[in-house]
């Protein structure tokens, strides 16, 4: 049996003619909000495309686009010659990760949040290649297809105005995921991790071990996003503690020498450095210091155990899943951790 009608609700839609959110998206947001509030109930009939178009002075194509998005997301169903109805079945909510590039770190975060959210959510990932136009294109095509957007805004703040770029996404459906508090232009939820302040805290907590070496090398990589404030944190630390510190783009820029320590972001550089140290007979933790970033089971046994600076990916996934599932607007900060295995 078909339920009541949604047309009896006085506030079926509120269209902001001067708003920055596209009108089709305002329709989508309005319907979803009333479903979540319990105003629209399973089986309720929505006004037809023509009825909505006439009542709210909207182009028919605009209403049709909105209804198509609601059909895709599972919020509504259609019956031939009868119209559009609020779905009876449990809606699978969709989440889109927007990241500059796919890396081991964000792949692990993506997996963690997917597991915490469970089968009632479908999580996808989209790489915008650090290009503003690619992100705009993705948002234009996907704005109505997802309930939540998780943005890792790597480098975006450096090349464009984020507040203007993200106007297509309602703030209550946008979650920032990075280490900077400067990248969130609006009042939206965020999970902060890997900030320069946390990195510096780890370095200072292990200053006595770093002082055993005459040179401290921070070796970067193109395979992982490295926040700009990590560089300043590293250089400020080495200056404050009178250490000879240098930032390298490649581990091969500085030949392996006794009395040097290496902070290695890339795992390939880690393997290369351990192999080189073995060939030269340098003992890790005494004649040569190594610290890797991110953890893996093999790092506990590689070279006798590699010390690591890591972010708790499980904590990121758990908190991000909680924000999404409970529709919370909050900021959570996940500190970095140091696991000492004797290689420094």
């Amino acid at each position: 049996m078909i339920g009541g009608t949604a047309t009896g609700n006085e506030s079926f839609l509120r269209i902001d003619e001067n708003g920055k959110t596209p009108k089709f998206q305002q329709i989508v947001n309005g319907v979803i909000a009333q479903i979540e509030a319990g105003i629209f109930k399973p089986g309720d009939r929505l006004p037809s495309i023509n009825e909505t178009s006439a009542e709210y002075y909207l182009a028919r194509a605009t209403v049709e686009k909105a209804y198509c998005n609601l059909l895709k997301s599972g919020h509504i169903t259609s019956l031939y010659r009868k119209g559009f109805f609020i779905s009876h079945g449990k809606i699978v909510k969709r989440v889109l990760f927007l990241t500059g590039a796919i890396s081991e770190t964000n792949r692990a975060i993506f997996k963690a949040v997917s597991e915490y959210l469970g089968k009632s959510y479908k999580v996808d990932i989209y790489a915008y290649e650090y290009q503003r136009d690619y992100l705009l294109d993705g948002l234009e095509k996907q704005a109505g297809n997802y309930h939540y957007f998780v943005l890792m805004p790597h480098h975006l703040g450096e090349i464009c105005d984020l507040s203007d770029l993200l106007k297509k996404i309602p703030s209550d459906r946008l979650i920032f995921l990075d280490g900077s508090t400067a990248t969130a232009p609006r009042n939206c939820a965020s999970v902060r991790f890997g900030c320069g302040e946390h990195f510096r805290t780890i370095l200072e907590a292990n200053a006595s071990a770093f002082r055993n070496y005459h040179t401290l090398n921070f070796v970067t990589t193109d395979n992982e996003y490295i926040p700009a404030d990590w560089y300043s944190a590293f250089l400020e630390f080495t200056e404050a503690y009178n250490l000879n510190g240098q930032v390298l783009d490649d581990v091969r820029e500085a030949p392996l020498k006794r009395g040097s320590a290496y902070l290695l972001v890339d795992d390939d550089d880690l393997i290369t450095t351990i192999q080189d140290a073995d060939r030269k007979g340098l003992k890790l933790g005494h004649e040569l210091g190594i610290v890797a970033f991110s953890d893996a089971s093999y790092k506990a046994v590689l070279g006798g155990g590699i010390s690591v600076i890591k972010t708790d990916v499980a904590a990121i996934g758990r908190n991000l899943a909680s924000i999404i599932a409970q529709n919370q607007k909050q900021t959570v900060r996940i500190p970095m951790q140091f696991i000492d295995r004797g290689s420094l």
Side-chain angles (χ1 to χ4, degrees):
M1 178 178 176
I2 297 172
T5 176
T7 56
N9 294 290
E10 294 181 2
S11 57
F12 165 54
L13 285 179
R14 294 186 184 278
I15 302 298
D16 182 358
E17 294 290 339
N18 300 315
K20 292 182 177 180
T21 303
K23 291 178 182 177
F24 87 90
Q25 187 62 45
Q26 292 186 47
I27 299 173
V28 172
N29 296 343
V31 172
I32 292 175
Q34 297 207 47
I35 292 173
E36 293 177 345
I39 297 171
F40 286 177
K41 302 184 183 304
D44 282 353
R45 186 181 74 84
L46 286 176
S48 70
I49 292 175
N50 287 335
E51 288 169 342
T52 302
S53 174
E55 182 174 353
Y56 296 96
Y57 304 100
L58 295 166
R60 191 181 188 284
T62 298
V63 181
E64 186 173 13
K65 183 175 181 180
Y67 279 27
C68 283
N69 278 287
L70 289 164
L71 285 166
K72 282 183 182 179
S73 64
H75 285 95
I76 66 174
T77 59
S78 64
L79 295 177
Y80 182 61
R81 290 186 176 178
K82 290 186 177 180
F84 298 92
F85 299 86
I86 304 301
S87 296
H88 282 275
K90 186 175 181 181
I91 296 170
V92 175
K93 293 189 175 181
R94 303 185 69 194
V95 181
L96 180 63
F97 263 68
L98 297 154
T99 181
I102 307 298
S103 68
E104 289 300 322
T105 298
N106 55 38
R107 187 182 287 114
I109 294 171
F110 173 82
K111 180 180 178 181
V113 74
S114 298
E115 291 175 350
Y116 276 109
L117 284 172
K119 294 182 179 179
S120 58
Y121 288 81
K122 184 179 186 301
V123 187
D124 297 322
I125 191 166
Y126 173 80
Y128 58 85
E129 303 297 335
Y130 305 116
Q131 299 293 320
R132 176 183 182 276
D133 290 344
Y134 287 1
L135 179 57
L136 273 174
D137 183 61
L139 292 177
E140 177 66 32
K141 292 178 179 178
Q142 303 296 343
N145 295 335
Y146 290 88
H147 300 84
Y148 293 96
F149 294 81
V150 179
L151 174 64
M152 303 182 80
H154 299 159
H155 301 308
L156 284 177
E158 303 167 13
I159 60 174
C160 64
D161 181 354
L162 282 178
S163 59
D164 180 64
L165 178 66
L166 299 171
K167 63 186 180 182
K168 296 181 181 296
I169 306 176
S171 61
D172 60 343
R173 300 187 182 278
L174 174 65
I175 304 163
F176 275 77
L177 184 62
D178 78 335
S180 172
T181 57
T183 51
R186 296 187 293 169
N187 182 26
C188 60
S190 63
V191 177
R192 306 294 179 181
F193 69 96
C195 69
E197 180 183 352
H198 292 165
F199 183 33
R200 171 108 185 233
T201 298
I202 294 290
L203 295 175
E204 290 180 343
N206 294 278
S208 59
F210 286 122
R211 279 190 169 127
N212 293 326
Y213 302 94
H214 60 70
T215 303
L216 179 55
N217 302 292
F218 179 26
V219 186
T220 66
T221 179
D222 291 332
N223 297 324
E224 286 281 353
Y225 171 75
I226 301 175
D229 56 2
W230 280 25
Y231 298 104
S232 56
F234 172 77
L235 295 173
E236 289 168 4
F237 163 73
T238 55
E239 182 178 358
Y241 286 81
N242 295 314
L243 297 170
N244 179 27
Q246 56 183 357
V247 177
L248 307 176
D249 292 327
D250 191 297
V251 71
R252 291 168 293 186
E253 289 184 15
L256 205 65
K257 294 182 179 180
R258 188 188 310 272
S260 296
Y262 294 82
L263 294 167
L264 301 167
V265 177
D266 192 284
D267 285 351
D268 288 340
D269 287 342
L270 172 63
I271 301 299
T272 298
T273 303
I274 291 174
Q275 290 174 335
D276 200 5
D278 187 58
R279 283 194 297 269
K280 294 181 178 181
L282 300 177
K283 187 176 181 181
L284 299 186
H286 296 278
E287 298 167 305
L288 188 77
I290 291 181
V291 177
F293 288 83
S294 76
D295 200 13
S297 57
Y298 73 88
K299 292 179 183 177
V301 296
L302 183 67
I306 301 300
S307 299
V308 298
I309 296 173
K310 59 168 285 188
T311 298
D312 190 342
V313 171
I316 295 173
R318 184 171 61 253
N319 282 278
L320 187 54
S322 176
I323 287 173
I324 292 170
Q326 300 179 38
N327 196 26
Q328 299 169 327
K329 187 173 287 189
Q330 62 173 309
T331 294
V332 178
R333 291 176 173 82
I334 310 296
M336 301 175 80
Q337 301 171 340
F338 180 74
I339 300 177
D340 186 2
R341 298 192 176 115
S343 64
L344 179 59

